[in-house]
Amino acid sequence: MNLKILRSRNVTEGVDRAPHRSLFKALGLTDEDLSKPLIAVANSWNEIVPGHVHLEKIAEAVKRGIRTAGGTPFEFNTIAICDGIAMGHEGMRTPLPSREIIAASIELMIQAHMFDAMVLIASCDKIVPGMLMAACRLDIPSIMITGGCMLPGVYKGKEIALSQVFEAVAKVKSGEMSEEDLKLLEESACPGPGSCAGMYTANTMACLVEALGMSLPGCGACPAVYAEKLRIAEESGKQIIKLLEREITPSKIITEESMENAIRVDMALGGSTNTILHLTAVAHELGINLTLEKFDELGRSTPHICNMNPSGPHYLKDLYLAGGVPAVMKELKPLLNLNTLTVTGKTLKENLKSVHVLNREVIRPLNNPYHKEGGIAILFGSLAPEGAVVKQSAIDPTMQKFEGEARVFDKEEDAVNAILNNEIEKGQIIVIRYEGPKGGPGMREMLSATSALVGAGLDKSVALITDGRFSGATRGPAIGHVSPEAMDGGPIAIVEDGDIISINIPERKLDLKISEDIVKERSSKWKPPEPRVKKGYLYLYSKITESASKGAIWKKL
């Protein structure tokens, strides 16, 4: 390694940098410490989020690895929001906008202090993609350790996860479940640290970071409480020095080819629809044009081979025990770009040489998938000219084609109240609008609404469409990311109660069945409503965010 060309020499070397060295020495550092590469350890640890409460232990292992390999580590923190705690109220406006704050905070810390490389430690929905965006933006040697999944809980002898608790609320409201059983379920579902146990957004993104090549093999599905996670963390600390020596940066790892690999893994896993937003945003940081059409193209040719909670019986720990992401990629090998570089310093092909699938029920062969197509489908049509997103693997076959009358709501709470008060009839299609990136603002997740439908037994007879988005814990006919959103005057803004909406997932169509004359008449009368938030960061976000179809990234100003 040529120490003279390290970025950190801008703050540690020469007579002019005596004041800088003095400040470093206030931390207890020595000249020997400052002669080594300075490695940032960006950590989203806090005491609020179950997926983060253990990350300080992972950071200690990372720093141990950095010191062993000859670097000097510096840990700092960024924010992290728990989507589950934020769900179903005003707080849900904040998680997606926080992604940009996380990326920017890391960018500023790295640039201000001229670190040579960084290790990123994160869990959960927006933190992982936010950190990945920062890595791409800065393009210095980087490696990520995701915090690991929560183990499933056990309720009356059966494994469960958080999604079942959300769905149970409607069962209590309808009298199907007692409050005592709900209490027992509540106390059983989340047994300890980690990202909620199913293939929700947090764990989907952890798997995709590994599929992109940005974390060490085995990291993505490894449970938070397993000792293996600490070993991976220490090895990651050592590996960052090797990446620095070889000048391997994110732009050499995250390419169009590795993005395609990640999308195929996403489709095979039946992952969260939120990954569409996040992969698109990450690609944007590197100038890669990732379109909705590309997701659909790859989804049509990638079988769904892992049937994970919330729509299937398996949990992330089952995936780990079956071989994890490496085993999924080994099964997908004929479909993947195998010459992509990874943070191991080796190609994907080299990484997969000794990998085997250990459980054929958890990871099925390509010729015997759960579904012939991938978990996510992209719909277009007169209701979504710029696209909409649906997790097709979580929908009952009887709802793949569906037509019904619209029940329109201008915010999530009104729709949830209507469901819980038994005001929704079978055969209807709930439309929740003005919940997009601008209109929300913040593009709230609708897990409370979809869980209420499932809990009320309506998930096979009622569909839900929104310009907002859905939690990875969602199952049932829930179509999100409808673009253009209502606040931009998209067709969803002019839907009225009683309009007929047609959903055809096999043909990728989402149509509002009213005449062109009615569309023109209603559009001429439409005016955007007053913004819900008129100050602070969310107001700023509403002014500078792009459409969901573009990843809800910031506009170019």
Side-chain angles (χ1 to χ4, degrees):
M1 185 190 311
N2 186 351
L3 297 177
K4 292 292 184 182
I5 64 171
L6 291 176
R7 282 164 46 97
S8 60
R9 294 303 174 253
N10 289 295
V11 292
T12 63
E13 195 171 80
V15 173
D16 292 347
R17 296 300 183 245
H20 304 66
R21 291 192 295 274
S22 183
L23 289 167
F24 278 121
K25 289 176 179 179
L27 306 175
L29 297 176
T30 66
D31 286 329
E32 182 182 0
D33 295 326
L34 296 178
S35 70
K36 300 173 182 177
L38 306 188
I39 311 298
V41 179
N43 192 353
S44 56
W45 172 85
N46 63 44
E47 295 181 334
I48 305 166
V49 187
H52 292 69
V53 71
H54 64 299
L55 295 186
E56 84 283 10
K57 295 179 182 177
I58 290 178
E60 287 302 318
V62 166
K63 290 184 285 186
R64 187 165 61 246
I66 291 170
R67 293 189 184 102
T68 299
T72 299
F74 293 83
E75 184 181 356
F76 67 87
N77 288 83
T78 188
I79 64 170
I81 292 170
C82 179
D83 283 42
I85 295 173
M87 194 72 66
H89 55 83
E90 291 296 310
M92 183 36 77
R93 303 195 193 286
T94 63
L96 184 59
S98 79
R99 185 187 70 181
E100 317 306 315
I101 294 291
I102 292 160
S105 67
I106 293 172
E107 174 193 359
L108 294 174
M109 285 293 288
I110 297 298
Q111 293 292 68
H113 303 105
M114 298 304 286
F115 290 112
D116 297 307
M118 63 180 175
V119 180
L120 303 162
I121 305 172
S123 293
C124 298
D125 299 39
K126 312 307 169 295
I127 303 89
V128 171
M131 286 195 174
L132 203 55
M133 289 165 65
C136 294
R137 190 178 300 172
L138 292 160
D139 204 27
I140 63 172
S142 305
I143 192 170
M144 178 171 273
I145 305 101
T146 47
C149 63
M150 185 184 291
L151 295 178
V154 178
Y155 170 75
K156 295 186 176 181
K158 294 184 178 180
E159 289 187 329
I160 58 165
L162 185 65
S163 59
Q164 283 98 320
V165 185
F166 273 96
E167 292 170 6
V169 173
K171 293 181 180 180
V172 172
K173 299 270 187 180
S174 67
E176 185 182 340
M177 176 183 276
S178 69
E179 290 191 26
E180 290 76 17
D181 278 347
L182 177 62
K183 181 70 172 176
L184 180 60
L185 186 68
E186 165 191 328
E187 292 180 348
S188 305
C190 299
S195 300
C196 298
M199 189 58 75
Y200 312 156
T201 306
N203 288 322
T204 307
M205 282 306 305
C207 291
L208 299 193
V209 170
E210 183 178 336
L212 281 169
M214 285 297 294
S215 61
L216 291 178
C219 183
C222 181
V225 296
Y226 281 20
E228 178 66 14
K229 181 62 73 173
L230 296 178
R231 289 192 285 271
I232 291 171
E234 184 169 353
E235 189 59 35
S236 297
K238 296 175 183 177
Q239 189 64 21
I240 192 62
I241 301 299
K242 295 179 182 178
L243 293 174
L244 179 61
E245 289 171 345
R246 293 182 56 184
E247 298 181 0
I248 296 176
T249 65
S251 65
K252 296 178 181 178
I253 295 172
I254 302 177
T255 61
E256 288 187 29
E257 290 76 18
S258 64
M259 272 287 176
E260 288 185 0
N261 289 345
I263 293 170
R264 287 198 186 277
V265 169
D266 194 2
M267 296 296 175
L269 292 172
S272 166
T273 53
N274 282 314
T275 58
I276 305 289
L277 295 170
H278 300 324
L279 289 180
T280 302
V282 170
H284 173 77
E285 294 292 342
L286 290 171
I288 299 170
N289 182 28
L290 191 58
T291 65
L292 291 180
E293 287 84 354
K294 174 59 73 173
F295 283 94
D296 200 57
E297 172 195 330
L298 296 173
R300 286 181 181 273
S301 58
T302 307
H304 176 222
I305 60 174
C306 300
N307 200 16
M308 313 294 294
N309 173 274
S311 55
H314 303 128
Y315 295 87
L316 258 291
K317 60 94 177 173
D318 299 318
L319 180 64
Y320 174 74
L321 295 173
V325 175
V328 174
M329 299 189 83
K330 185 64 173 275
E331 188 58 39
L332 294 175
K333 188 176 175 181
L335 303 175
L336 299 180
N337 301 301
L338 297 174
N339 292 322
T340 54
L341 185 63
T342 73
V343 290
T344 64
K346 301 176 183 177
T347 64
L348 176 61
K349 183 178 182 179
E350 292 173 304
N351 289 348
L352 294 179
K353 277 183 180 179
S354 59
V355 172
H356 301 283
V357 177
L358 303 178
N359 187 325
R360 277 297 181 188
E361 184 59 24
V362 176
I363 304 172
R364 286 194 175 182
L366 291 180
N367 62 5
N368 183 32
Y370 286 99
H371 300 97
K372 292 181 179 180
E373 293 186 351
I376 296 173
I378 309 298
L379 312 182
F380 292 92
S382 59
L383 188 55
E386 293 179 6
V389 179
V390 63
K391 186 193 284 191
Q392 63 174 340
S393 59
I395 300 175
D396 188 89
T398 61
M399 295 294 288
Q400 293 284 326
K401 294 181 180 180
F402 186 68
E403 192 167 283
E405 291 187 358
R407 282 293 308 276
V408 183
F409 302 92
D410 286 349
K411 61 178 181 179
E412 179 191 10
E413 290 87 346
D414 292 345
V416 172
N417 289 335
I419 297 167
L420 296 178
N421 291 328
N422 299 315
E423 297 171 11
I424 301 300
E425 299 176 5
K426 292 182 178 181
Q428 292 184 326
I429 295 178
I430 298 170
V431 176
I432 305 176
R433 62 189 177 195
Y434 297 108
E435 292 287 10
K438 298 176 187 177
M443 203 179 182
R444 289 198 288 179
E445 289 185 347
M446 305 289 168
L447 181 57
S448 294
T450 55
S451 296
L453 282 175
V454 173
L458 295 173
D459 56 307
K460 296 179 182 178
S461 58
V462 172
L464 195 158
I465 296 171
T466 181
D467 54 6
R469 59 194 178 90
F470 295 108
S471 164
T474 293
R475 60 189 175 103
I479 299 170
H481 306 206
V482 172
S483 301
E485 64 174 284
M487 197 58 138
D488 276 339
I492 194 172
I494 62 167
V495 181
E496 295 183 0
D497 283 346
D499 287 348
I500 301 299
I501 294 174
S502 175
I503 301 167
N504 190 326
I505 294 172
E507 294 183 11
R508 304 300 197 258
K509 298 292 290 181
L510 180 62
D511 289 310
L512 175 61
K513 301 186 77 173
I514 60 175
S515 70
E516 200 61 42
D517 289 340
I518 294 175
V519 170
K520 290 178 181 178
E521 178 188 355
R522 291 182 187 176
S523 297
S524 67
K525 296 177 181 178
W526 176 83
K527 292 181 180 179
E530 284 291 309
R532 289 178 173 139
V533 178
K534 298 181 180 179
K535 61 180 180 180
Y537 174 62
L538 287 180
Y539 174 76
L540 173 64
Y541 180 84
S542 72
K543 298 299 180 184
I544 62 177
T545 187
E546 286 275 20
S547 166
S549 64
K550 297 180 180 179
I553 58 174
W554 283 350
K555 293 177 182 177
K556 289 185 178 180
L557 300 177

